[in-house]
Amino acid sequence: GFELRARRKDLGFSTRAVAQLAGVSQSYVVALEGSRSSRGAAGPTPTLDVLARLASALGIEPSVLLGPSIHRAGPHVLLVVENDGAGLFGVVDSFVDDVDTWVSAGHRSEVPGAGHHISLHAETVVTYDQVEVSTAIDDGLAMLAPVVQGRRLGLIFSEEPELLLGATDAVLTAEHGWSAMVSRAAWSAGARPAWNLCVYELDVLRQMADPLAVSLELIRSHDDVWITNGRVLHRKRAASMRLLQHLRPEHTGADHWRQVCIKQLDRISAN
C-alpha cells in the first residue's frame, strides 16, 4: 500500500485514474493504499493478475509492489537487563547502526537519539489484554507515520513489572505472535521494521513463580537473546547461558546447574 501510494503521487495520478487503468474499483485502490477496509479490518490482498495490472498502470515491475510485503522484518530480540538499566539505550544505540528512528513503548520511556515514545496501556490498567496492546501499537505508530514513513524503525518494548508478574502466561503467549504483529503495525505506518527489542529486567524474572521455565519460553519465542549490565552487551547462546546461570536455585551446585542449562539450551537449538 505504501509503495502504491508513493508511486501514484509521484506520477500525479488520482486513485480513480489508477483504478481505471488497472481495471479495478477506486475503493479497492483506496483500501490497498490504506491497508484497511472501510470496516477497519485488514485490507484486501490482490491476486497476481491484479498486482500485474496495478504495476502496469504505474509503469513499474510487479516486484516493486510485492517486494515490501515479503521483506523479512528485523529480528525479535529478548533483551535482559541485569541492573537498573542505566545506560541501556546508549549501549543499544551504539551497537545497532541500521536504524533511522527509534520508538520506545511501555514501561521505559527513554529512547535512543531523538526518538519517540508511545503508551501500551491506559493508566488504570490492571490486566494484560493482547488486543488492546496491539491496538495501542497500531494507533501509536499511525500517529507517528509522518516521521517514520520510509525509515528503518527500531522498536523497544517494556512491560510494567506488576503486569509481568500478574499476567505472565498472557505475556508469554503474546510473545509468540509479537514479531508479526509489530511488523504489520510498522509497515502500515509506512516504516521498515529493522529491530524489535523486548526488555525484561532480571530482578522481575527472578520473582516469577518458575523463573527457569519463563526464561526458556522467552528464549524460544525470540530470534536472538541479549543481556546487559549497562556497560557490556552479551549476545546469542552466551547471553542465554548467562541469563540461566543467574537463575541458579539456592543450594544447587554451580557445575550441576551449568549442565542443566546446557541441556535445556541444546533442546531449544534442536527444535
Side-chain angles (χ1 to χ4, degrees):
F2 177 74
E3 296 294 335
L4 176 60
R5 182 191 302 111
R7 178 64 177 174
R8 177 180 63 77
K9 289 187 174 181
D10 285 345
L11 294 173
F13 287 176
S14 65
T15 54
R16 181 183 296 276
V18 171
Q20 290 175 341
L21 288 169
V24 297
S25 69
Q26 183 183 14
S27 62
Y28 186 81
V29 174
V30 171
L32 281 174
E33 288 194 359
S35 298
R36 291 288 185 270
S37 73
S38 60
R39 296 183 299 276
T45 300
T47 64
L48 290 177
D49 175 63
V50 170
L51 190 70
R53 284 188 276 135
L54 286 167
S56 177
L58 298 170
I60 55 177
E61 291 294 323
S63 59
V64 175
L65 296 177
L66 184 62
S69 68
I70 60 175
H71 188 277
R72 188 180 185 277
H76 178 209
V77 178
L78 169 64
L79 174 54
V80 178
V81 180
E82 292 183 348
N83 51 15
D84 61 1
L88 169 65
F89 294 106
V91 171
V92 170
D93 196 33
S94 64
F95 180 78
V96 176
D97 60 3
D98 59 346
V99 167
D100 300 316
T101 302
W102 285 99
V103 173
S104 64
H107 176 59
R108 293 176 177 270
S109 59
E110 310 99 321
V111 61
H116 307 271
H117 181 77
I118 60 179
S119 298
L120 293 180
H121 307 283
E123 293 183 1
T124 57
V125 66
V126 294
T127 59
Y128 186 90
D129 187 317
Q130 186 174 344
V131 174
E132 289 185 359
V133 171
S134 177
T135 300
I137 294 171
D138 283 340
D139 293 346
L141 291 182
M143 291 183 64
L144 293 174
V147 295
V148 302
Q149 281 189 356
R151 300 179 69 80
R152 297 171 297 182
L153 191 61
L155 294 135
I156 302 180
F157 297 95
S158 55
E159 193 50 85
E160 299 289 339
E162 294 78 10
L163 280 180
L164 288 176
L165 294 172
T168 305
D169 289 344
V171 173
L172 291 178
T173 298
E175 283 286 16
H176 284 278
W178 191 261
S179 182
M181 181 268 290
V182 169
S183 296
R184 284 195 298 269
W187 281 321
S188 292
R192 289 181 285 167
W195 289 90
N196 174 5
L197 312 181
C198 295
V199 179
Y200 286 79
E201 296 175 13
L202 178 60
D203 285 345
V204 175
L205 291 174
R206 282 172 165 160
Q207 295 176 52
M208 293 182 172
D210 192 338
L212 177 60
V214 170
S215 297
L216 290 172
E217 190 64 19
L218 287 172
I219 292 171
R220 289 189 193 95
S221 62
H222 289 78
D223 300 322
D224 198 359
V225 180
W226 299 355
I227 188 168
T228 178
N229 59 13
R231 297 184 299 274
V232 179
L233 183 69
H234 303 270
R235 298 180 60 210
K236 300 188 182 298
R237 186 178 175 104
S240 298
M241 192 66 182
R242 185 179 177 91
L243 166 60
L244 299 187
Q245 291 282 67
H246 277 305
L247 304 178
R248 177 163 63 96
E250 190 177 2
H251 307 308
T252 300
D255 289 342
H256 173 70
W257 185 249
R258 178 176 176 79
Q259 293 305 313
V260 169
C261 296
I262 290 173
K263 288 181 180 179
Q264 294 288 355
L265 293 178
D266 284 345
R267 287 174 184 169
I268 291 176
S269 298
N271 294 328

